[in-house]
Amino acid sequence: MSLTDLTLAEARDKLAAKEIRSAELTEAYIGAIEATRSLNAYILPTPDKAREMAKASDAKLETGKGGPLEGVPLGIKDLFCTEGVRTTACSKILGEFIPPYESTVTRNLWDAGAVCLGKLNLDEFAMGSSNETSAFGPVMNPWGSDNQRLTPGGSSGGSSAAVAAHLCVAATGTDTGGSIRQPAALTGTVGLKPTYGRCSRWGIVAFASSLDQAGPITRTVRDAAIMLTHMASVDDKDSTSVDVPVEDYEAALERGVKGKKIGIPKEYSVDPMPEALAAFWKQGEEWLRDAGAEIVHVSLPHTKYALAAYYIVAPAEASSNLARYDGVRYGARVPGDDIIDMYEATRAAGFGDEVKRRIMIGTYVLSAGYYDAYYLRAQKVRTLIKRDFENVFAQGVDALLTPTTPGPAFELGGKQDPVEMYLNDIFTVPVNMAGLPGISVPAGLANGLPLGLQLIGKPFDEAGLMSIARTLEEAAGSFAPPAR
Amino acid sequence: MSVDTQTVRRVAHLARLKMDEAEIERLKGDMNQILGFVEQLAEVNVDGVEPMTSVVDAVLKQRDDVITDGGYPDRVLANAPEAADGFFLVPRVVE
């Protein structure tokens, strides 16, 4: 067994017991990252920084003063600003931007003792479901091969691929419409999107501010619980971070599901429903019932409108957020005849096609004469979507069980049509629209490729949600990609 | 609703995106496809429904209106494409 096969919980315990040293664990990861450059998971490995942090961790561990994640090497999605380390959001428009500050989430992780292995690939500004919109090129899913080049999902495709291929112990991700859960499902990893407001958004490059939320991608549910405990915080720098105490989510893991009520929403089926997907969904239901949960069938009638409302709300917020990229304060600048021409030339050269598409849609739906018909109506539909969930939770349902994605990892270049690509997030988007926590857990393999099941919880009930996820994981087992 | 070439050109200017005619035409197709997809929202009855303004039940925090940060212009300007004397430099805007 290689050092890189240790889960976060195992690595943490061995480090604390001084059975292994962070320097050797970190070196093993640096070697693994070098050996798998063809996956394109890391766009900026930081081996020197990693070695330095590992050395400092070992010194602390030596004197028994280590933090809760002391010496654990992590990968960071390149949407999190890291002080002194280039941060690009995988867009050309940020150029060689080097943040003079650290995002709150990564600050929390470093304060807990974690080691930074580098920055991970993503879809440009987190807009995509396949990692193909990245200015640094796509990421290879370690479940694919040279003959079958598969997407690791998106937007956190670098994170999911790196966790699946054991190129970090765990990774950070962000989720606006499914960007943590969908890539986790497509790579056989665990992906957790916390309740909106659980993690601070400060220092995370903004996409759609009312939907964006940070969370972990990990190999196990336990590791996700540990990561969340050290990512979440109440933060004065983010007025939407909510004043609810952060729990020890790991301590809550083994509570089991006895007496819990799990809802199966009938609207989460697609036509045609792939057979394997329907089978795993049914299987998940049985696993939870066997473990003592009560299964109830519920209805969330506005589910079918969530994706359409999302593709108004998210681009509208994106078009506002991305107005800041004007070639004046940071990033690349393309000269022009006057200042407007400079803005237009800079933005034309700096943004990729998908980002432009969303800025255009967002600008249009917010423009005079169309605001009420599109944006205001979408926000009303969003209220109805949230109300559906509230009604179900009011009936005593503790969590909902659904598939995470409509299918397994697809081939790179396989979905050229924008709306077809958007449909990949059909089961994950409603969760963001309602601000709820959601987690994707590997359910099993179909034709050799992983599929995930999603659990949706009540606001700020991550502890309850993760104990149910742990039960699912125990029944389903864990899945590692074939050796390359 | 669908958009015409003229509207796409106007929106591109509002969004400060320089586009040639070929790109305008391509965006027109993409936008009409997406707008066609979101059209289904018209069938939802939203009478008397409040538009969402906050997804979680939390009161937006307030704080005293005092300076809590700053005083490091060099760090603020460190990533500027052009800067001088503690300012960002842009092309001339006043003749």
Side-chain angles (χ1 to χ4, degrees), chain A residues 214-237:
Chain A
I217 294 183
T218 57
R219 295 181 211 166
T220 68
V221 173
R222 178 173 303 277
D223 289 359
I226 297 167
M227 281 290 282
L228 180 62
T229 301
H230 302 294
M231 291 172 74
S233 63
V234 182
D235 186 7
D236 287 341
K237 297 203 210 63

Side-chain angles (χ1 to χ4, degrees), chain A residues 244-262:
Chain A
V244 176
V246 178
E247 293 172 63
D248 180 348
Y249 301 103
E250 188 184 11
L253 275 181
E254 306 297 339
R255 280 189 205 159
V257 295
K258 262 202 185 66
K260 297 257 189 188
K261 205 187 257 193
I262 308 294

Side-chain angles (χ1 to χ4, degrees), chain A residues 98 100 196 241 305 328-330 333 339 341 344 347-348 356-357 377 379 382-383 386 417 434-435, chain B residues 1 13 15-16 18 23 30 33 41 43-44 50 52 55-56 61 75 79-82 88-89 93:
Chain A
I98 296 177
Y196 182 82
S241 82
Y305 301 110
V328 173
R329 286 155 297 164
Y330 34 70
R333 173 188 286 192
I339 194 163
D341 196 50
E344 293 190 342
R347 290 164 63 81
K356 285 182 190 170
R357 203 153 30 226
R377 174 167 281 266
Q379 288 290 50
R382 196 174 169 190
T383 298
K386 183 165 185 251
D417 178 277
Chain B
M1 272 185 269
H13 181 64
R16 299 289 184 263
K18 189 177 276 186
E23 200 172 1
D30 288 350
Q33 194 198 359
L41 294 182
E43 71 195 48
V44 184
E50 285 291 314
M52 181 173 287
V55 74
V56 290
K61 284 171 254 182
R75 284 169 66 197
N79 282 283
E82 281 189 73
F88 294 107
L89 283 189
V93 286

Side-chain angles (χ1 to χ4, degrees), chain B residues 10 13 17 22 27 35 41 43 46-48 66 69 71 75 80-81 87:
Chain B
R10 186 176 59 83
H13 181 64
L17 290 166
L27 256 305
L35 293 172
L41 294 182
E43 71 195 48
V46 293
D47 293 349
V66 292
D69 197 6
R75 284 169 66 197
F87 293 97

